[in-house]
Amino acid sequence: MECETSLTPEEAKEFGIIDELLSHTPTVLQFLLLQSEQRLDNEIKLQDKNRRVLRCLLSWVRVGCFSEIPPASLPTHPLFTFVFNSLQVSSSFDVAVEVLIELVSRYEGLPQVLLIRIQYLKDVLLRSAILNKDEKIISGLACLMSEIGQAAPALIATATAEALTLADALLSCVTYSSCDWEIADSTLQFWCCLANYLLGVDFQSANRKTVEDMFFPVFSALLDAVLLRAQTTVIA
């Protein structure tokens, strides 16, 4: 199954073939859906097939294949479910993260959908990865959660339980004991984006006090984590 395009979206647009590609979207999505539902007895072949489905889907997401699907129905689309479930499989995790990040950057309502599932990402995937020192999983989740927060800082600023769970999960990524700063660095844009949003929004005085009370401990913990990491790095 080789359906991944070799052109970037910008190149495809330049050559005027985006519309031609998108005209085949229903057929492609149906094909990928059938492939994602296909079961194989050989586990290795199954994982390889699912990875190729995700890689192919990523190419089509980048040219806007979901643009004609109503945003409200995207979270219940079976291919979205397939992508999210692929986070649980080590062999397909990295590509699933790429697809979700691409979707989050393109579809306004998707960050809220993923924010609802943030407790699962933190308690099931991230916690296990930290215990097992699986930096591939930790790094991927840090990038995905950061992208969710950056795409919808207003959602995070509401300081709901889910928003604070996301912030706490990213703090766990920052404090993770790694040999370099790569994982911690991947969360930097999220923290900057959130801080800029909180400082720029014209809250009513009562609301501002509430927001400050909710996020002051978060940013204090972030500062402590960064200082601790810096000290550890110097000592090492």
Side-chain angles (χ1 to χ4, degrees), residues 66-82:
F66 283 111
S67 59
E68 296 183 6
I69 298 176
S73 65
L74 181 58
T76 59
H77 195 285
L79 277 174
F80 176 80
T81 301
F82 168 72

PDB file of all heavy atoms in Angstrom, residues 66-82:
ATOM      1  N   PHE A  66      -9.491  16.366   5.328  1.00  0.00           N
ATOM      2  CA  PHE A  66     -10.642  16.395   6.229  1.00  0.00           C
ATOM      3  C   PHE A  66     -11.410  17.718   6.137  1.00  0.00           C
ATOM      4  O   PHE A  66     -12.324  17.956   6.927  1.00  0.00           O
ATOM      5  CB  PHE A  66     -10.184  16.197   7.675  1.00  0.00           C
ATOM      6  CG  PHE A  66      -9.856  14.771   8.014  1.00  0.00           C
ATOM      7  CD1 PHE A  66      -8.548  14.387   8.257  1.00  0.00           C
ATOM      8  CD2 PHE A  66     -10.849  13.805   8.081  1.00  0.00           C
ATOM      9  CE1 PHE A  66      -8.228  13.084   8.565  1.00  0.00           C
ATOM     10  CE2 PHE A  66     -10.550  12.491   8.393  1.00  0.00           C
ATOM     11  CZ  PHE A  66      -9.229  12.124   8.631  1.00  0.00           C
ATOM     12  N   SER A  67     -11.039  18.559   5.196  1.00  0.00           N
ATOM     13  CA  SER A  67     -11.632  19.899   5.124  1.00  0.00           C
ATOM     14  C   SER A  67     -13.134  19.878   4.856  1.00  0.00           C
ATOM     15  O   SER A  67     -13.850  20.809   5.233  1.00  0.00           O
ATOM     16  CB  SER A  67     -10.928  20.740   4.053  1.00  0.00           C
ATOM     17  OG  SER A  67     -11.025  20.107   2.790  1.00  0.00           O
ATOM     18  N   GLU A  68     -13.616  18.834   4.198  1.00  0.00           N
ATOM     19  CA  GLU A  68     -15.037  18.767   3.879  1.00  0.00           C
ATOM     20  C   GLU A  68     -15.844  18.023   4.935  1.00  0.00           C
ATOM     21  O   GLU A  68     -17.064  17.912   4.825  1.00  0.00           O
ATOM     22  CB  GLU A  68     -15.229  18.108   2.508  1.00  0.00           C
ATOM     23  CG  GLU A  68     -14.619  18.920   1.370  1.00  0.00           C
ATOM     24  CD  GLU A  68     -14.868  18.300   0.014  1.00  0.00           C
ATOM     25  OE1 GLU A  68     -15.610  17.300  -0.037  1.00  0.00           O
ATOM     26  OE2 GLU A  68     -14.325  18.814  -0.977  1.00  0.00           O
ATOM     27  N   ILE A  69     -15.172  17.492   5.932  1.00  0.00           N
ATOM     28  CA  ILE A  69     -15.870  16.815   7.021  1.00  0.00           C
ATOM     29  C   ILE A  69     -16.254  17.848   8.071  1.00  0.00           C
ATOM     30  O   ILE A  69     -15.403  18.621   8.520  1.00  0.00           O
ATOM     31  CB  ILE A  69     -14.976  15.735   7.649  1.00  0.00           C
ATOM     32  CG1 ILE A  69     -14.637  14.657   6.611  1.00  0.00           C
ATOM     33  CG2 ILE A  69     -15.643  15.107   8.866  1.00  0.00           C
ATOM     34  CD1 ILE A  69     -13.691  13.598   7.121  1.00  0.00           C
ATOM     35  N   PRO A  70     -17.527  17.928   8.485  1.00  0.00           N
ATOM     36  CA  PRO A  70     -17.936  18.902   9.507  1.00  0.00           C
ATOM     37  C   PRO A  70     -17.073  18.760  10.758  1.00  0.00           C
ATOM     38  O   PRO A  70     -16.869  17.630  11.242  1.00  0.00           O
ATOM     39  CB  PRO A  70     -19.397  18.514   9.793  1.00  0.00           C
ATOM     40  CG  PRO A  70     -19.858  17.829   8.551  1.00  0.00           C
ATOM     41  CD  PRO A  70     -18.651  17.100   8.023  1.00  0.00           C
ATOM     42  N   PRO A  71     -16.534  19.851  11.260  1.00  0.00           N
ATOM     43  CA  PRO A  71     -15.644  19.775  12.436  1.00  0.00           C
ATOM     44  C   PRO A  71     -16.266  19.029  13.611  1.00  0.00           C
ATOM     45  O   PRO A  71     -15.556  18.326  14.345  1.00  0.00           O
ATOM     46  CB  PRO A  71     -15.406  21.259  12.781  1.00  0.00           C
ATOM     47  CG  PRO A  71     -15.583  21.972  11.482  1.00  0.00           C
ATOM     48  CD  PRO A  71     -16.675  21.236  10.758  1.00  0.00           C
ATOM     49  N   ALA A  72     -17.578  19.181  13.776  1.00  0.00           N
ATOM     50  CA  ALA A  72     -18.232  18.534  14.917  1.00  0.00           C
ATOM     51  C   ALA A  72     -18.194  17.013  14.820  1.00  0.00           C
ATOM     52  O   ALA A  72     -18.225  16.311  15.842  1.00  0.00           O
ATOM     53  CB  ALA A  72     -19.677  19.014  15.023  1.00  0.00           C
ATOM     54  N   SER A  73     -18.129  16.493  13.601  1.00  0.00           N
ATOM     55  CA  SER A  73     -18.143  15.036  13.432  1.00  0.00           C
ATOM     56  C   SER A  73     -16.747  14.432  13.343  1.00  0.00           C
ATOM     57  O   SER A  73     -16.596  13.211  13.402  1.00  0.00           O
ATOM     58  CB  SER A  73     -18.935  14.664  12.172  1.00  0.00           C
ATOM     59  OG  SER A  73     -18.288  15.157  11.007  1.00  0.00           O
ATOM     60  N   LEU A  74     -15.724  15.266  13.213  1.00  0.00           N
ATOM     61  CA  LEU A  74     -14.357  14.760  13.089  1.00  0.00           C
ATOM     62  C   LEU A  74     -13.930  13.909  14.281  1.00  0.00           C
ATOM     63  O   LEU A  74     -13.343  12.833  14.102  1.00  0.00           O
ATOM     64  CB  LEU A  74     -13.383  15.920  12.884  1.00  0.00           C
ATOM     65  CG  LEU A  74     -11.906  15.544  12.713  1.00  0.00           C
ATOM     66  CD1 LEU A  74     -11.723  14.607  11.524  1.00  0.00           C
ATOM     67  CD2 LEU A  74     -11.051  16.790  12.538  1.00  0.00           C
ATOM     68  N   PRO A  75     -14.233  14.321  15.536  1.00  0.00           N
ATOM     69  CA  PRO A  75     -13.793  13.518  16.685  1.00  0.00           C
ATOM     70  C   PRO A  75     -14.404  12.120  16.723  1.00  0.00           C
ATOM     71  O   PRO A  75     -13.856  11.230  17.382  1.00  0.00           O
ATOM     72  CB  PRO A  75     -14.259  14.345  17.894  1.00  0.00           C
ATOM     73  CG  PRO A  75     -14.368  15.738  17.375  1.00  0.00           C
ATOM     74  CD  PRO A  75     -14.838  15.591  15.966  1.00  0.00           C
ATOM     75  N   THR A  76     -15.541  11.924  16.070  1.00  0.00           N
ATOM     76  CA  THR A  76     -16.167  10.604  16.074  1.00  0.00           C
ATOM     77  C   THR A  76     -15.874   9.833  14.794  1.00  0.00           C
ATOM     78  O   THR A  76     -16.376   8.725  14.614  1.00  0.00           O
ATOM     79  CB  THR A  76     -17.691  10.734  16.247  1.00  0.00           C
ATOM     80  OG1 THR A  76     -18.229  11.532  15.171  1.00  0.00           O
ATOM     81  CG2 THR A  76     -18.035  11.394  17.571  1.00  0.00           C
ATOM     82  N   HIS A  77     -15.081  10.428  13.921  1.00  0.00           N
ATOM     83  CA  HIS A  77     -14.739   9.746  12.672  1.00  0.00           C
ATOM     84  C   HIS A  77     -13.891   8.511  13.013  1.00  0.00           C
ATOM     85  O   HIS A  77     -12.965   8.583  13.823  1.00  0.00           O
ATOM     86  CB  HIS A  77     -13.948  10.683  11.757  1.00  0.00           C
ATOM     87  CG  HIS A  77     -13.852  10.212  10.344  1.00  0.00           C
ATOM     88  ND1 HIS A  77     -13.019   9.179   9.963  1.00  0.00           N
ATOM     89  CD2 HIS A  77     -14.494  10.614   9.215  1.00  0.00           C
ATOM     90  CE1 HIS A  77     -13.137   8.971   8.666  1.00  0.00           C
ATOM     91  NE2 HIS A  77     -14.024   9.829   8.183  1.00  0.00           N
ATOM     92  N   PRO A  78     -14.193   7.363  12.428  1.00  0.00           N
ATOM     93  CA  PRO A  78     -13.453   6.136  12.768  1.00  0.00           C
ATOM     94  C   PRO A  78     -11.952   6.223  12.514  1.00  0.00           C
ATOM     95  O   PRO A  78     -11.168   5.583  13.217  1.00  0.00           O
ATOM     96  CB  PRO A  78     -14.114   5.064  11.889  1.00  0.00           C
ATOM     97  CG  PRO A  78     -14.914   5.802  10.862  1.00  0.00           C
ATOM     98  CD  PRO A  78     -15.287   7.098  11.478  1.00  0.00           C
ATOM     99  N   LEU A  79     -11.529   7.028  11.537  1.00  0.00           N
ATOM    100  CA  LEU A  79     -10.086   7.166  11.310  1.00  0.00           C
ATOM    101  C   LEU A  79      -9.424   7.955  12.438  1.00  0.00           C
ATOM    102  O   LEU A  79      -8.272   7.690  12.799  1.00  0.00           O
ATOM    103  CB  LEU A  79      -9.817   7.834   9.959  1.00  0.00           C
ATOM    104  CG  LEU A  79      -9.851   6.904   8.743  1.00  0.00           C
ATOM    105  CD1 LEU A  79      -9.709   7.697   7.452  1.00  0.00           C
ATOM    106  CD2 LEU A  79      -8.778   5.826   8.831  1.00  0.00           C
ATOM    107  N   PHE A  80     -10.152   8.933  12.986  1.00  0.00           N
ATOM    108  CA  PHE A  80      -9.615   9.666  14.138  1.00  0.00           C
ATOM    109  C   PHE A  80      -9.459   8.721  15.324  1.00  0.00           C
ATOM    110  O   PHE A  80      -8.443   8.759  16.039  1.00  0.00           O
ATOM    111  CB  PHE A  80     -10.521  10.840  14.509  1.00  0.00           C
ATOM    112  CG  PHE A  80     -10.070  11.585  15.738  1.00  0.00           C
ATOM    113  CD1 PHE A  80      -9.043  12.512  15.665  1.00  0.00           C
ATOM    114  CD2 PHE A  80     -10.656  11.335  16.971  1.00  0.00           C
ATOM    115  CE1 PHE A  80      -8.607  13.187  16.804  1.00  0.00           C
ATOM    116  CE2 PHE A  80     -10.223  12.003  18.108  1.00  0.00           C
ATOM    117  CZ  PHE A  80      -9.199  12.932  18.022  1.00  0.00           C
ATOM    118  N   THR A  81     -10.453   7.874  15.525  1.00  0.00           N
ATOM    119  CA  THR A  81     -10.379   6.882  16.604  1.00  0.00           C
ATOM    120  C   THR A  81      -9.202   5.947  16.395  1.00  0.00           C
ATOM    121  O   THR A  81      -8.472   5.607  17.339  1.00  0.00           O
ATOM    122  CB  THR A  81     -11.681   6.074  16.669  1.00  0.00           C
ATOM    123  OG1 THR A  81     -12.785   6.963  16.885  1.00  0.00           O
ATOM    124  CG2 THR A  81     -11.636   5.050  17.800  1.00  0.00           C
ATOM    125  N   PHE A  82      -8.988   5.543  15.153  1.00  0.00           N
ATOM    126  CA  PHE A  82      -7.851   4.675  14.817  1.00  0.00           C
ATOM    127  C   PHE A  82      -6.528   5.367  15.155  1.00  0.00           C
ATOM    128  O   PHE A  82      -5.628   4.747  15.735  1.00  0.00           O
ATOM    129  CB  PHE A  82      -7.908   4.317  13.331  1.00  0.00           C
ATOM    130  CG  PHE A  82      -6.659   3.674  12.800  1.00  0.00           C
ATOM    131  CD1 PHE A  82      -6.330   2.370  13.151  1.00  0.00           C
ATOM    132  CD2 PHE A  82      -5.804   4.368  11.941  1.00  0.00           C
ATOM    133  CE1 PHE A  82      -5.170   1.768  12.662  1.00  0.00           C
ATOM    134  CE2 PHE A  82      -4.653   3.775  11.452  1.00  0.00           C
ATOM    135  CZ  PHE A  82      -4.339   2.473  11.817  1.00  0.00           C
TER     136      PHE A  82
END
